[in-house]
Amino acid sequence: MTKEQWLVIRKQIPDGAKEPWTVILWIIDLLVLSLAWNLWLSSSTILQGLALVLAGFSVLQVYLILHEALHGAVSDNRSLNNFIGHFSGWLIALPFLVRRRFHMAHHTWAAHPINDPENKNMIEKFSVMTKKQERRLEFMWKHWIPMIAASHFLSNWRAPFVARTQGDSSSRIIKEIRFARIYLVGYLVMAGVALAFGHLADLVVFYLVTWVFLFFMVELLNLPHHAEAPLLPKDADRLQYWEQDAVSHDCKSLPLWSRFIILNFNLHVVHHAFPSVPWYRLSKVHSLLNQQQDSPAASQINEWDFAWKNRRRPLLKLMGHFFDRRA
């Protein structure tokens, strides 16, 4: 994409969130999650299975709405946007403030090996693997065990506490730690209420199964967008928004799934080019981009086909530029 093409599109789209669709969808997802919990408490195995399906997809959308909140695209009201971000982050155990800091750096420094936290964290974690650790990693990858997503969630929890022990006492880090503690108190309160009503074990199983499903979906949706994209040199300047199509990929759109389940998350090129545009406008922006340049849709595959194809490949072949620094 050229700067001129980017500017042409930029002039045709409103910025930020002007409609209430994301807030409405978020409320619906919470209601569905509440329904799922009540079905889970039933004595019917069929209803409990339905509960897990409903909970899994509602929590997936909560994760995607959290992503919208990171960009301020849930609501023009900043307090409402941040409240939804925090509540969603608490619900799925992904701290909103830390995630926002990391994700904004990812957009600013896409494909940079140090300044993009997504790359930096993976390189630091996996560049010192032993052969035994490599075999374990490949086993988990081949058997669809979502260890990358689990590591991603854990790193967001650890980051402010690690920064504090390393001497960073900035107000930003202190605020992140304070909210992490608030989240933990919220979990204790929820566990206490469940225990009082005799449903603590039900809650733990319901939450863990839903959480594992979310990890699976996070890997399914996130990995195709930057896999096998080149990393920049360590001394490189940041890419401008119109240059980031060189290091991000789209996935092929599927009827219903792409727009109504994953909220156009597959349109990752236009998201990197226009990160503040909410999910319900991405299709229009994608069409405008295709009018400016040839569409690569014929060569795209959807998330499921990507996973089916690449889970049978060694992970270090797919993403070795992230992981393997031993040579």
Side-chain angles (χ1 to χ4, degrees):
M1 187 188 315
T2 66
K3 182 178 181 179
E4 290 71 24
Q5 290 172 331
W6 185 88
L7 289 172
V8 168
I9 299 171
R10 175 78 273 177
K11 292 177 182 178
Q12 299 181 63
I13 55 175
D15 199 7
K18 305 299 181 185
E19 286 84 20
W21 309 126
T22 308
V23 176
I24 293 172
L25 179 62
W26 183 72
I27 293 171
I28 292 172
D29 284 323
L30 294 186
L31 292 174
V32 171
L33 189 59
S34 177
L35 171 63
W37 169 245
N38 283 280
L39 292 176
W40 177 251
L41 295 180
S42 72
S43 58
S44 168
T45 303
I46 294 176
L47 291 180
Q48 289 177 335
L50 177 60
L52 293 177
V53 171
L54 293 175
F57 284 103
S58 61
V59 165
L60 169 61
Q61 289 203 332
V62 167
Y63 169 81
L64 296 170
I65 291 171
L66 168 64
H67 173 254
E68 294 286 303
L70 301 175
H71 292 281
V74 168
S75 172
D76 292 326
N77 185 308
R78 184 176 179 181
S79 296
L80 177 59
N81 182 90
N82 291 348
F83 170 78
I84 290 176
H86 275 297
F87 193 88
S88 299
W90 175 79
L91 196 63
I92 63 173
L94 185 60
F96 174 65
L97 294 180
V98 184
R99 181 65 190 137
R100 183 171 63 183
R101 172 163 61 92
F102 282 2
H103 193 66
M104 292 303 99
H106 164 66
H107 276 270
T108 302
W109 291 97
H112 197 281
I114 298 175
N115 296 332
D116 182 346
E118 308 292 350
N119 293 338
K120 182 175 183 290
N121 289 340
M122 286 194 290
I123 290 171
E124 287 180 347
K125 185 173 182 63
F126 295 107
S127 63
V128 293
M129 287 186 299
T130 64
K131 283 293 183 181
K132 182 178 180 180
Q133 290 170 328
E134 179 183 338
R135 288 193 297 271
R136 186 185 305 127
L137 177 68
E138 294 294 354
F139 176 86
M140 290 188 289
W141 172 252
K142 180 180 179 181
H143 291 84
W144 299 62
I145 300 172
M147 73 293 181
I148 297 176
S151 176
H152 162 72
F153 272 57
L154 179 60
S155 67
N156 279 263
W157 276 99
R158 294 180 66 248
F161 295 97
V162 171
R164 185 68 182 88
T165 60
Q166 293 175 345
D168 187 347
S169 57
S170 64
S171 59
R172 178 189 64 188
I173 295 299
I174 298 301
K175 186 176 182 181
E176 290 175 356
I177 291 175
R178 184 181 303 122
F179 271 94
R181 289 171 175 164
I182 292 172
Y183 284 22
L184 292 173
V185 170
Y187 297 137
L188 290 175
V189 170
M190 184 172 64
V193 171
L195 180 62
F197 282 91
H199 292 303
L200 181 58
D202 293 316
L203 179 63
V204 169
V205 175
F206 179 77
Y207 190 87
L208 287 179
V209 173
T210 305
W211 210 30
V212 170
F213 176 78
L214 177 61
F215 284 177
F216 172 85
M217 297 303 296
V218 167
E219 287 195 5
L220 180 80
L221 299 185
N222 278 297
L223 292 183
H225 299 138
H226 297 284
E228 298 184 297
L231 286 179
L232 300 175
K234 292 182 179 180
D235 58 351
D237 292 330
R238 63 176 291 266
L239 295 175
Q240 300 299 320
Y241 288 136
W242 54 85
E243 297 175 312
Q244 293 190 20
D245 58 343
V247 295
S248 59
H249 313 302
D250 284 344
C251 285
K252 186 176 182 179
S253 292
L254 295 174
L256 299 179
W257 164 262
S258 297
R259 180 166 178 82
F260 297 108
I261 302 297
I262 65 169
L263 309 184
N264 291 322
F265 197 74
N266 60 304
L267 302 180
H268 213 68
V269 171
V270 293
H271 173 60
H272 265 266
F274 306 96
S276 61
V277 173
W279 65 271
Y280 47 82
R281 295 199 191 109
L282 288 178
S283 293
K284 178 183 178 181
V285 179
H286 181 70
S287 298
L288 292 172
L289 178 59
N290 287 342
Q291 294 172 15
Q292 295 290 321
Q293 60 184 25
D294 293 334
S295 172
S299 62
Q300 292 171 356
I301 60 175
N302 63 65
E303 300 86 0
W304 298 97
D305 287 343
F306 176 91
W308 180 253
K309 172 185 175 182
N310 288 292
R311 287 282 176 174
R312 292 178 289 178
R313 297 172 59 194
L315 180 61
L316 295 182
K317 295 291 185 183
L318 174 66
M319 303 182 74
H321 62 289
F322 285 133
F323 296 132
D324 202 349
R325 288 291 182 275
R326 290 167 296 175

